[in-house]
Amino acid sequence: MCGIVGYVGLQSALGILMEGLRRLEYRGYDSAGIAWLDNGEIHVLRAAGKLHNLQAQLPATHSHVGIGHTRWATHGKPEERNAHPHVDNQRRVAVVQNGIIENYRALRDELTAQGCVFTSDTDTEVIPHLVSLYLQQGHPFLEAMRLAVSRLEGAFAIAAIAADAPDEIVLARQQAPLVVGLGQGEFFCASDTAALISHTQAFLALENGELARLTPLGVELYTFAGQRVQRYPQRLTWSPLAVEKGGFKHYMLKEIHEQPAVLRQGLESHLIEGQIALGPVQELYAQVEHIHIVACGTSWHAGLVGKYLLEQIAQIPTHVYYASEFRYAPPPYLPRTLTIGVTQSGETADTLAALSLVASRTLTGTPWLLGITNRPDSTLGRLVPYLIDTRAGIEIGVAATKTFTAQVVAFYLLALDMAHQRGMIDQEKLELYLANLQKIPNHLEWILETQTPAIEQLAHQFQDVHHVIYLGRGINFPIALEGALKLKEISYIHAEGYPAGEMKHGPIALLDKNVPVVAIAMPGTVYEKTISNVQEARAREAQIIGVGTAANLEIPDLFQVNLTVPEVPELLSPFVTVLPLQLLAYYIAAQRGLDVDQPRNLAKSVTVE
Ligand code: M6R
């Protein structure tokens, strides 16, 4: 969603703010702006659209204090007047905000009655007016901010500067991410560490209900009640190179190609002397009777694969919920339930809210909450007592790729470990599963090396396609959903994933020669059934693109094209079937000339409901 960045120190602030905003671009936005202090005055520059629109107007100035923002519109169209920062009528306070101020209408009416004039349609604009009123009453800046945020309802992260406090940035956090970066005689803030990684690797994450005051002399943390908080910073281990494209045309393509290495890294970190090592969560295994998984989007698809594995290998009843549904209609409380939150950003508002709800229903002891993420430094990392770090590192492309396969690895290890420790599989079987899992990175490399030209070629044929159906069964049904999601989010082609056996109950009516069907047909328990379902689609003249082993090509007249993958045990097949579908979506979108890494209307980190 929106991105916040701020700087106070001895360097020139504007360049640092612009670089930070560029680093936040991947989160998605529709306008941007900065505010800085110069000679006791606040200056603001804002522009609709991409960052270069803002860059083009940047003045030469050597201000040492400033804040910046990339906006993803919630209240008000993506126009310059709605872009942040917003200021009060005297231009003594400038504010950027990420989140939603739910009571902004009531506050706006109240402030208008007191003479404030509003110039935007945003919820955020109430904040500078409120802070300004408290400043006029004689409160120092930090206290004015504290009083202002105590009037706000909703989820928000705020950074503000004031003309009367020329060396300060004041921050506030309530249910939206905000971190402070610590330098030497200079301090930064951002909604994501990625914005600051080239300046510092030492970070302090604000908790909900906290304010921070940044000056060149240091950082002070307070609660909304005004109490001082002491906390040690954390050190990030990933390198600034992780946020570069590394010679690839797009981050998404780079991240697709990183998957073999990510999988090796995930396995190496969690296999110690041949034993699965997932940390403290192992202490719960013997007691767990049910598993609930909460997630959104691609992480929800990883959860569906996880359900299959946890039920079929470990025999534990597992439900997968959309986090946005779970939070308002949770299932009845079930004792001995492990709830797993899956999220690549670690900041998805719905997933965090679902997990918090579960925590609030835990009457005694540590809540049984397990997080699966590549961002242990995120809010999720601080919320859950048990965590599996997938080791995928930061992902920049909005379309999740390497984080998905890394989440699936985590589910394999969890299911195998639980199954083994609960006596469902013996040591020999465990070793066989693990040996096959360790071969997957090589299989992915083979697909990348040998199949990419055919996939690029196929992508050309999709130039005029408007609808695509993805079919899969069993463990590959979630991959059909994921293939369809990848295609629609970056190419804007309508695509639907279906369980292949469900086609004849309705969706088959959509098929004709203009609607291609991508059919995942891998050897295993449902292969013959899937082939029959695909025959039904072929009989409606649909063009059939297979994803499966070379055996598919031996079936007369069924597959017009087959995206060939190596033969692997059925339970491991999602790794090899999802990769061609990621590549297909990528090349279709790239050949259409679309903004693959920042598709329209989407954000990498969905921090609002
Ligand atoms: O950060 P999360 O994994 O919680 O994000 C969930 C979804 O927003 C995300 O998977 C989204 O669907 C991606 N754009 C999919 O590529």
Side-chain angles (χ1 to χ4, degrees), residues 46 76-77 79-84 86 119-122 125:
R46 308 183 296 192
K77 288 184 186 163
E79 293 168 354
E80 195 245 319
R81 69 194 188 89
N82 289 326
H84 302 208
H86 291 286
T119 56
S120 77
D121 303 324
T122 66
E125 199 186 344

Side-chain angles (χ1 to χ4, degrees), residues 90 103 191 247 388 571:
Q90 290 74 36
N103 59 335
S191 31
I388 300 177
L571 285 180

Side-chain angles (χ1 to χ4, degrees), residues 555-568:
I555 305 170
D557 296 334
L558 187 56
F559 296 99
Q560 276 73 66
V561 180
N562 189 52
L563 305 180
T564 302
V565 302
E567 181 157 358
V568 295

